[in-house]
Amino acid sequence: MQQPFEPQEIPPGCPAHGNVQMYGPSFGADPESHYAQLRLFGLSAPVDIAPDVQAELVTSYDAALYVLQNPASFVRDSRRWNALNEGRVPADSPALPMMGYRPNALFSDGAAHARLRRAVTDSLATINEHQLIRQTQQSANYLISQFSTDIRGQAELMAEYAQPLPLLVFSDLFGCPPEIGDRVIAGISGIFEGTPGADEVLGGALTELIALKRRRPTADLTTRLMEHPAQLTDEEVLHQLVTLLSGGTAPLAAAIGTSSALYLGEDWQVGLPVEDAVSQTLWNYAPIANYAAHYPTHDVELGGRVVRANDPILISFAAANTDPKLTQHREQLSAKAHLAFGAGPHACPAKDPAFMIAVTAVEALLNQLLDVEMRVPFKALTWAPSPWSRTLVTLPIRFTPRTVPQSAGSAGSAGSNAGQGPQQQAAASSPSNAGPSRTNPGVAPQPKGGLFSRFVAWTRGE
């Protein structure tokens, strides 16, 4: 038995009997009070992460680092999960899609993890910073063009901007043709929304994309994964792409939405840069709030609480970042010392690109809509009641509407060919890339197809 931390007594009156419920409207409305309650147990606490699904939740920053940085004692392979193997997890539990095993780097350990992780990190390292900024700007300008001419001068920023923007950027980074990109977006969006059959839609689209890249490789993330010296199988490539999508798009949407809301909020100090809003979001509103299930290889003791081998230990990135013991000297820490991107061997491999996308997205909004403001105070915004993420349900804004929709060619630096993704480079070289319709000036064209098809058509001026 290991005991790396001193045990702490549970104060009188603490609800020591029964687990703390980490889901539903009550948790969503006030997660901070739940974390305060959990801290009464010590460094970790027993929780129900979903109905009839128990786990130990680490709320201490130091204890979280200990678990995250100690892969010999805490592994990620959920096939070890006692309750699941004993049939005690409901078959329809919402925890299964989040905690169930998948053959990717996230749920692998040892040599298997190192091989998959190296393929992902090496492939991500080839992304050009200036190209990524331009891709993000162009996606932002397209989405803003779709709602900025609304005569009411109003929009709902989560659904119309923060959520679709990462989907466009990732579809472009993956090198998706328009129709495949539409299905990738429909599939991953459906998975987050619980749409039946969404897994099959996403899997089919990515399988088709991988087959296409086998025939015609291009300079994109999919091809780089496929050509990596680790020699991933097509199935392994597919699962790494799914991991990048699921681990990148929804948390990025949450970060963009919350950072925008903070910057536009009533308590924001004028003159502070957008980077500060994104950093504050990562510290105080960690987009991935409670996740990263670990399974002890032996019974362990955390601050006086014993966790059995192969019982899940979850990390509360949200609670760890706001640990009262940490806040006493947080000003002396690096701005990047938060755990929003994890730590240790399983830390997010795309934390720098993710930060860059979030900052660029918020800046694009502020630059395109100079008088944008929220329609409700920051403190009145509603948060999703999910234990896994910290994301706004809606972000209502108002602005002075444009009289003429912005075209791809008038998008400033984002309209340049230099550094654009493969789909945009092809579009820019097309003779049809002539801006808005000349037969009906001032009216945005309405091409057929899904989100990515419409975006690509917009870049061509169709």
Side-chain angles (χ1 to χ4, degrees):
M1 299 255 292
Q2 280 190 332
Q3 186 172 343
F5 304 102
E6 292 297 321
Q8 300 180 17
E9 292 187 6
I10 299 176
C14 176
H17 302 289
N19 295 354
V20 177
Q21 185 172 299
M22 297 287 289
Y23 56 89
S26 174
F27 173 77
D30 188 13
E32 287 78 12
S33 68
H34 286 68
Y35 298 139
Q37 181 183 5
L38 291 170
R39 291 189 182 105
L40 298 178
F41 288 85
L43 307 177
S44 66
V47 301
D48 285 345
I49 201 69
D52 300 315
V53 179
Q54 293 80 41
E56 190 77 8
L57 187 70
V58 175
T59 57
S60 157
Y61 183 91
D62 289 338
L65 274 179
Y66 174 76
V67 173
L68 292 167
Q69 295 177 341
N70 192 351
S73 297
F74 303 94
V75 298
R76 298 297 298 271
D77 190 337
S78 59
R79 290 174 295 186
R80 292 172 167 264
W81 188 359
N82 286 330
L84 183 63
N85 293 331
E86 295 164 7
R88 293 187 283 115
V89 177
D92 61 349
S93 172
L96 279 177
M98 302 299 294
M99 296 174 62
Y101 175 78
R102 296 174 187 267
N104 58 34
L106 194 62
F107 291 93
S108 301
D109 301 289
H113 169 257
R115 172 176 168 269
L116 295 173
R117 169 87 177 191
R118 186 168 57 253
V120 172
T121 53
D122 289 351
S123 299
L124 288 170
T126 65
I127 296 175
N128 180 276
E129 177 180 321
H130 298 294
Q131 175 182 331
L132 182 61
I133 290 174
R134 290 180 185 277
Q135 286 173 319
T136 304
Q137 288 174 332
Q138 191 166 44
S139 299
N141 290 332
Y142 165 71
L143 294 169
I144 293 169
S145 77
Q146 302 305 292
F147 63 75
S148 59
T149 56
D150 187 316
I151 60 173
R152 300 170 303 162
Q154 297 183 359
E156 199 291 281
L157 207 62
M158 291 304 297
E160 297 182 69
Y161 188 70
Q163 290 167 356
L165 191 150
L167 297 171
L168 291 176
V169 173
F170 273 73
S171 296
D172 206 357
L173 286 173
F174 285 7
C176 292
E179 192 273 335
I180 293 180
D182 289 342
R183 286 188 285 136
V184 167
I185 289 175
I188 192 64
S189 299
I191 288 172
F192 288 128
E193 295 163 4
T195 305
D199 268 319
E200 290 76 11
V201 172
L202 179 61
L206 291 176
T207 298
E208 189 173 329
L209 176 65
I210 292 167
L212 173 64
K213 299 304 176 182
R214 287 286 180 207
R215 298 191 305 270
R216 295 195 299 273
T218 52
D220 54 62
L221 199 56
T222 306
T223 300
R224 290 167 189 140
L225 273 172
M226 296 169 66
E227 295 179 344
H228 190 271
Q231 297 183 325
L232 273 58
T233 65
D234 286 359
E235 182 182 9
E236 287 175 327
V237 172
L238 185 150
H239 284 291
Q240 309 324 304
L241 292 176
V242 171
T243 304
L244 287 169
L245 278 171
S246 58
T249 56
L252 259 176
I256 292 168
T258 304
S259 301
S260 299
L262 279 172
Y263 194 92
L264 299 172
E266 60 275 16
D267 293 332
W268 187 253
Q269 183 178 333
V270 176
L272 290 179
V274 168
E275 286 86 351
D276 283 12
V278 177
S279 291
Q280 189 175 126
T281 292
L282 297 174
W283 272 106
N284 298 332
Y285 306 90
I288 300 177
N290 305 286
Y291 193 51
H294 290 73
Y295 301 86
T297 56
H298 50 80
D299 291 0
V300 296
E301 192 169 338
L302 295 174
R305 291 189 51 79
V306 176
V307 182
R308 285 195 312 150
N310 298 324
D311 278 353
I313 296 177
L314 296 177
I315 306 298
S316 179
F317 301 109
N321 279 349
T322 56
D323 184 342
K325 292 185 177 180
L326 181 70
T327 55
Q328 294 173 6
H329 57 274
R330 202 170 92 177
E331 291 182 358
Q332 300 168 349
L333 295 174
S334 162
K336 296 182 180 180
H338 58 77
L339 298 181
F341 292 123
H346 285 274
C348 175
K351 58 184 178 181
D352 291 335
F355 189 88
M356 192 181 307
I357 290 170
V359 170
T360 303
V362 179
E363 288 179 341
L365 177 74
L366 300 172
N367 290 335
Q368 295 295 327
L369 303 176
L370 298 179
D371 62 350
V372 63
E373 59 183 15
M374 289 197 295
R375 302 201 320 260
V376 298
F378 181 86
K379 294 176 182 177
L381 294 170
T382 303
W383 301 85
S386 167
W388 314 105
S389 62
R390 183 65 163 154
T391 184
L392 291 167
V393 176
T394 60
L395 179 51
I397 61 169
R398 57 174 165 248
F399 50 86
T400 300
R402 291 174 175 161
T403 55
V404 178
Q406 182 167 343
S407 68
S410 63
S413 62
S416 169
N417 290 359
Q420 292 179 357
Q423 299 304 320
Q424 280 64 58
Q425 289 177 12
S429 64
S430 169
S432 63
N433 188 27
S437 168
R438 303 305 182 196
T439 58
N440 193 7
V443 177
Q446 298 297 320
K448 296 179 181 179
L451 175 62
F452 196 59
S453 287
R454 297 194 299 271
F455 167 62
V456 172
W458 178 81
T459 66
R460 297 171 177 167
E462 296 175 357

